[in-house]
Amino acid sequence: MSVRPRLIVGLFGVIATLSISSAVVAQPRPAIGLSIDEPRAYGHVVGDHIQRTLRLQLPAGFQLERASLPSPGAQSYWLDLAVVDIRAAESSSGPVVVRLDYQLFYAPLQATRRELPALDLAAANAAGERITRRAPAFVFTMSPILELDPDARFGDPDNDLLLADAMPVRPAVAGPRRATFAALAITLFALLVWAWAAGYLSASARGPFARARVSLRRQRRAHEPPEVAKALRTVHRAFDETAGQAVFADDLDVFIAAHPVFADLVDDIAAFFEFSRRYFFAGAAPAAGDNHGLIDRLERLVQGCRKRELKA
């Protein structure tokens, strides 16, 4: 082969080699796509939580190395990483979302710049190829909660910072107390007037017919239907105690002569003694279901006798 053909073949070989090398060089290296949602860069105070949200677009076949992310816990004396939340991509082309929740424990005396640390993120594929991407630090401003004035004293009229706790004011209770006592006094007076008008406070309020009236009311509440025999005995006892001896129907004239205050009730008293005699000795009884009516009549008789008892 002559020199010229060999030169042409050599030139073609060089051109092919350069073309292959250019093709290899032209292939892009896999990289991690990164976008960051940052919090506001000012107005943070001690105790605040601030969040950074990283969206990582990983090349096909690559997985995020979790070891490249910071671990929850203290990052420095003033910064604590509370939460590391990793959400896998929802689709093959979707981003991996990493949420970092920091809490601040620094109480500056004046507005101060602070920064969240930068992150060196890494991903790898099954072939062992590893790629990295740096998330830059985030710079923000922290503000003091209180203005510091070493010369300020609690209670000092010139101190417009924190003041001592105000003493609670005692509510005015004199007026409500007087009104309460007045209401109680009026209520007690009304009760006394009612008791006096009803005869409970007079000497004769404890008389036989007063006690009989109370007893009949108790019997009505305690028994349903009321017991006729017990009610009759109660009224008989009142007449006996008034007379100082047992009173029977035949003794009614003597009783009225000794106690003329009951004279206008003689017919009602005679009817009572007649019914009692028939009930206990002849087997007579009130009409069916008329026990309440009988007790009502006995209460009216006793009430009438009691009123006259008060006049005696």
Side-chain angles (χ1 to χ4, degrees):
M1 179 180 295
S2 64
V3 175
R4 188 172 182 180
R6 282 186 299 193
L7 180 59
I8 293 174
V9 172
L11 289 174
F12 275 114
V14 171
I15 292 172
T17 301
L18 292 175
S19 299
I20 295 174
S21 299
S22 298
V24 173
V25 172
Q27 290 182 353
R29 178 178 175 79
I32 300 174
L34 174 64
S35 64
I36 307 177
D37 294 338
E38 303 284 19
R40 69 176 187 273
Y42 58 88
H44 298 286
V45 296
V46 61
D48 279 358
H49 284 260
I50 57 177
Q51 296 182 358
R52 302 186 79 187
T53 302
L54 314 178
R55 288 180 171 79
L56 308 176
Q57 194 70 46
L58 302 178
F62 281 82
Q63 297 291 329
L64 176 66
E65 291 185 354
R66 301 202 174 195
S68 65
L69 295 172
S71 300
Q75 306 298 303
S76 68
Y77 73 93
W78 63 273
L79 183 65
D80 190 39
L81 179 56
V83 176
V84 178
D85 181 26
I86 304 173
R87 297 184 182 180
E90 296 180 356
S91 63
S92 59
S93 60
V96 176
V97 180
V98 179
R99 183 175 63 87
L100 304 175
D101 187 349
Y102 294 91
Q103 188 172 15
L104 308 176
F105 291 98
Y106 182 66
L109 302 181
Q110 58 185 2
T112 305
R113 293 180 64 189
R114 289 282 160 177
E115 67 177 36
L116 300 182
L119 304 174
D120 291 317
L121 307 172
N125 61 12
E129 185 179 0
R130 189 171 185 271
I131 55 177
T132 60
R133 178 69 184 267
R134 185 175 182 82
F138 173 69
V139 179
F140 62 96
T141 301
M142 291 192 67
S143 302
I145 295 180
L146 302 174
E147 180 182 359
L148 182 65
D149 184 355
D151 297 326
R153 295 181 180 276
F154 289 130
D156 188 340
D158 297 329
N159 175 19
D160 59 355
L161 303 178
L162 282 180
L163 299 179
D165 292 339
M167 294 298 294
V169 179
R170 291 188 61 182
V173 297
R177 185 187 292 119
R178 286 194 295 269
T180 301
F181 287 151
L184 290 175
I186 293 172
T187 302
L188 179 59
F189 178 74
L191 288 174
L192 291 174
V193 171
W194 172 83
W196 177 82
Y200 290 110
L201 300 182
S202 62
S204 57
R206 296 182 296 274
F209 288 103
R211 293 192 296 272
R213 179 171 176 265
V214 173
S215 179
L216 289 176
R217 288 184 175 180
R218 290 177 178 172
Q219 293 173 34
R220 182 190 289 273
R221 291 194 298 265
H223 301 284
E224 184 58 40
E227 297 181 2
V228 174
K230 187 174 182 179
L232 292 173
R233 291 191 185 97
T234 298
V235 180
H236 273 293
R237 190 180 304 112
F239 281 106
D240 294 347
E241 291 177 0
T242 301
Q245 61 182 13
V247 179
F248 299 98
D250 296 338
D251 303 324
L252 186 57
D253 292 339
V254 176
F255 175 83
I256 295 297
H259 304 86
V261 71
F262 299 104
D264 60 329
L265 294 177
V266 63
D267 292 338
D268 294 335
I269 297 173
F272 160 72
F273 275 97
E274 176 61 22
F275 177 81
S276 176
R277 184 188 64 78
R278 289 188 290 106
Y279 181 85
F280 285 111
F281 300 106
D290 194 37
N291 286 15
H292 286 287
L294 173 64
I295 299 300
D296 289 340
R297 292 192 292 274
L298 292 178
E299 285 186 345
R300 285 195 295 270
L301 173 62
V302 169
Q303 177 66 14
C305 292
R306 176 176 173 276
K307 289 180 179 179
R308 286 145 183 86
E309 183 179 57
L310 293 173
K311 298 177 182 178

